[in-house]
Amino acid sequence: MRSLTRPLMVVAIMLVGSAAIRFSEGIGPVMADATRGAMDSGAAAIRAATEPELDLLQKSLLSREADLVAQAEIVAAREAAAQAAEEEIARRQAELDAAENELAHAEADLERRVRTAKTANETDIAKLVAVYEAMKPQDAAEVFEAMSPEFASGFLSEMSPNTAAMILADLSPEFAYSVSVLMAGRNAGMDESN
């Protein structure tokens, strides 16, 4: 009997193992269906519980998007205004440069004209001085008496000292004194300015 027990035990163990395998194969799909069902109902529960929250989140995101669009429009408007301001500054700078250029040309022209006028004036004065020096001292003195002392002193200052002395001698003492004071003051003013 002993020899029979062993093979029977082996067969019994095999039968129990086979049953366990079949049981586990059958329970797997049942367990999977049960898990899937639980998950589907859990997801539905989660969806049902969070739908208002999702709507709120969606509204918040849409509001934020609208804010970002508005801010982007503001930034674009500011950039356009800055670009327009830069163009206006460049235009005004060009106008300023043109005006400065024009002013520089006008200053150069004015300086040229002043030099020309000064040269012409100096030439005219030199000619008049030569004319007064060529006159008789008495005749020149009569002409000088008709001038203002300032004007007469200017001419006498340009003359040679001998000719000026002869003309001064023929002037009235009061007029000769006024002219002499102006001539001395003119030289004194030159010393002080240096």
Side-chain angles (χ1 to χ4, degrees):
M1 248 255 41
R2 232 176 180 185
S3 61
L4 259 168
T5 326
R6 242 179 203 208
L8 282 175
M9 283 275 270
V10 171
V11 171
I13 290 174
M14 288 175 114
L15 284 174
V16 169
S18 173
I21 290 172
R22 286 180 191 215
F23 178 73
S24 69
E25 283 179 358
I27 202 158
V30 171
M31 288 293 283
D33 286 344
T35 304
R36 191 177 309 115
M39 286 179 69
D40 287 343
S41 65
I46 289 172
R47 257 187 262 119
T50 58
E51 241 176 74
E53 292 171 356
L54 289 175
D55 286 344
L56 185 64
L57 179 62
Q58 184 180 13
K59 286 178 185 175
S60 174
L61 289 173
L62 289 173
S63 173
R64 180 68 180 145
E65 181 183 13
D67 289 346
L68 290 173
V69 168
Q71 287 177 357
E73 289 172 356
I74 290 170
V75 167
R78 286 182 181 169
E79 286 177 354
Q83 180 67 30
E86 286 178 10
E87 290 171 2
E88 179 66 14
I89 288 169
R91 184 185 65 76
R92 288 190 180 185
Q93 184 64 45
E95 288 176 359
L96 180 62
D97 291 344
E100 286 177 351
N101 220 3
E102 196 173 307
L103 180 62
H105 288 297
E107 285 177 352
D109 187 47
L110 181 60
E111 286 177 13
R112 183 185 52 78
R113 288 180 184 204
V114 166
R115 278 193 309 272
T116 302
K118 186 175 181 183
T119 302
N121 190 26
E122 289 171 357
T123 302
D124 291 345
I125 290 173
K127 285 179 184 177
L128 278 172
V129 166
V131 167
Y132 292 136
E133 283 181 328
M135 292 172 70
K136 291 181 183 175
Q138 289 175 338
D139 294 338
E142 286 179 25
V143 174
F144 277 81
E145 290 263 358
M147 295 179 190
S148 70
E150 294 84 7
F151 199 63
S153 69
F155 283 114
L156 288 169
S157 295
E158 296 294 319
M159 291 181 178
S160 68
N162 289 337
T163 306
M166 288 189 286
I167 294 172
L168 276 171
D170 286 329
L171 292 173
S172 69
E174 295 83 19
F175 195 79
Y177 174 76
S178 296
V179 169
S180 297
V181 168
L182 288 169
M183 288 172 69
R186 183 174 292 144
N187 290 335
M190 291 284 214
D191 291 340
E192 290 175 10
S193 65
N194 292 334

